[in-house]
Amino acid sequence: MHGPSLAETTAFIAVVELKSFTKAAKQLALSPPRVSEMVRNLEDRLGVRLVERTTRSVAPTAAGERLLARLRPALDEYQAALESTNEFRGKPAGTLRLTAPQPAADFFLASAIPRFLAQYPEISLDLSVSDTLTDIVAERFDAGIRIGERIERDMIAVRVTDELPLVVVGSPAYFERRGKPRTPDDLVGHDCVRIRFSSGTYVPWRFRVKRRDLEVHVEGRLGVNSVAVARQAAIEGLALVQTPPIFIARDLAARRLVTVLDEWAPTPATGFFLYYPSRRQMRPALKALVNFLRKERRGVS
């Protein structure tokens, strides 16, 4: 009997990671029966059951989990080695899978991505927009974009935006109706939009008081997990919002929104970083994206 083939091990990894023979078949461009046959062949060659199958779920056995843990890094290196030959073609190529939160997608990726793809016509980009803290290794992403404080220390992180200061803004109509807060304590008498993380917790409002950054509890009728909805609520005069100016730069310039409490502005947030696993050889396409976003931050066309 021949030893296990690369195709069989690839099928096994796809089934376990996607938790589905059907999804694995779609990813591999094969039929589900063919994928099932390949996994059974691998189990027969190794003499051990690797996958538990029921009508509702697919899960690795203890032996399957151990095999996956050893195979995944090796397969990543194998794929990276093949893709490294792109360097000799003169142009980076292939598909990049990227995950980013909605604010990053809306306010700088939306304009940067078309320019990147125009510059590199042989690269395809699969962007997943999510505010959850995605495990990019487990979910098979090449890289992610997040605020610096939310990136694991074992990742390589590359800054793609400057630090993000915070401002409190409202519309002229709101201030005419409700007046302007003069200190953070005055927010008790104001409606404030509370932006929510995907975990369900709310982003705290922060201010710098006596050289210390302090969190202030605010109230309001609107809680939302969308910066775009919060921005529009402020423009319509519903409530105040605390947000980085990058998200509302045009509204500030057009005086649709006006800042208050500027003298209590807290220490800026670290800004957005692109990050990827340190153990993985950098693919030419990912290197191209890193260099492109670095130039975007410096304003180089």
Side-chain angles (χ1 to χ4, degrees):
M1 180 180 290
H2 297 294
S5 69
L6 179 60
E8 289 168 351
T9 55
T10 300
F12 160 71
I13 291 173
V15 167
V16 172
E17 291 187 336
L18 296 173
K19 300 180 177 63
S20 167
F21 281 89
T22 301
K23 292 179 180 178
K26 184 177 180 180
Q27 177 176 289
L28 298 171
L30 298 170
S31 68
R34 177 57 180 151
V35 172
S36 181
E37 178 186 9
M38 294 168 76
V39 174
R40 280 198 308 272
N41 288 345
L42 179 62
E43 291 175 326
D44 291 343
R45 296 183 201 283
L46 297 177
V48 63
R49 192 169 183 81
L50 300 173
V51 178
E52 295 290 355
R53 310 161 175 84
T54 70
T55 56
R56 294 186 177 181
S57 65
V58 174
T61 63
E65 288 183 349
R66 179 176 294 182
L67 180 61
L68 177 66
R70 299 292 297 274
L71 282 177
R72 171 42 70 192
L75 192 60
D76 284 345
E77 290 301 319
Y78 171 80
Q79 187 65 34
L82 292 179
E83 293 180 350
S84 68
T85 61
N86 288 331
E87 295 177 356
F88 296 95
R89 298 170 56 196
K91 295 181 180 179
T95 298
L96 283 176
R97 297 192 68 230
L98 180 68
T99 177
Q102 192 74 54
D106 288 346
F107 296 101
F108 73 92
L109 285 180
S111 59
I113 285 174
R115 293 194 295 273
F116 172 72
L117 294 178
Q119 185 172 330
Y120 295 98
E122 296 187 37
I123 294 178
S124 298
L125 186 63
D126 183 354
L127 173 64
S128 175
V129 178
S130 172
D131 291 319
T132 60
L133 290 177
T134 303
D135 183 337
I136 62 172
V137 175
E139 298 296 329
R140 308 295 303 123
F141 287 99
D142 293 289
I145 291 179
R146 289 289 181 268
I147 293 290
E149 293 94 334
R150 308 187 85 194
I151 297 175
E152 298 294 334
R153 293 185 177 180
D154 60 348
M155 294 285 166
I156 294 177
V158 178
R159 179 180 287 280
V160 292
T161 72
D162 294 330
E163 292 184 331
L164 300 176
L166 287 171
V167 294
V168 176
V169 298
S171 71
Y174 177 92
F175 293 131
E176 184 177 344
R177 187 175 73 254
R178 301 287 299 273
K180 292 184 178 181
R182 303 298 177 185
T183 71
D185 290 339
D186 293 341
L187 293 172
V188 173
H190 287 267
D191 281 323
C192 301
V193 178
R194 295 180 298 162
I195 297 177
R196 187 176 65 250
F197 287 124
S198 57
S199 63
T201 60
Y202 287 99
V203 180
W205 283 42
R206 295 189 296 114
F207 296 92
R208 193 156 187 82
V209 180
K210 295 181 179 178
R211 299 182 181 181
R212 294 178 56 197
D213 284 349
L214 300 177
E215 295 182 3
V216 174
H217 179 74
V218 298
E219 295 287 350
R221 291 183 294 150
L222 178 61
V224 65
N225 64 346
S226 167
V227 174
V229 173
R231 165 187 168 272
Q232 193 60 38
I235 291 173
E236 297 293 335
L238 176 66
L240 304 179
V241 173
Q242 187 177 58
T243 180
I246 187 177
F247 300 157
I248 53 168
R250 293 181 180 178
D251 304 312
L252 292 174
R255 300 293 292 177
R256 287 187 293 268
L257 292 174
V258 179
T259 64
V260 291
L261 303 177
D262 294 342
E263 60 269 41
W264 279 275
T267 303
T270 58
F272 287 105
F273 288 74
L274 181 142
Y275 65 101
Y276 54 93
S278 58
R279 67 171 176 79
R280 187 176 299 171
Q281 179 181 347
M282 181 179 281
R283 298 171 50 199
L286 179 57
K287 185 175 181 179
L289 179 63
V290 169
N291 291 337
F292 178 85
L293 291 178
R294 278 175 167 163
K295 289 181 179 178
E296 285 281 299
R297 179 182 167 230
R298 292 197 299 267
V300 178
S301 58

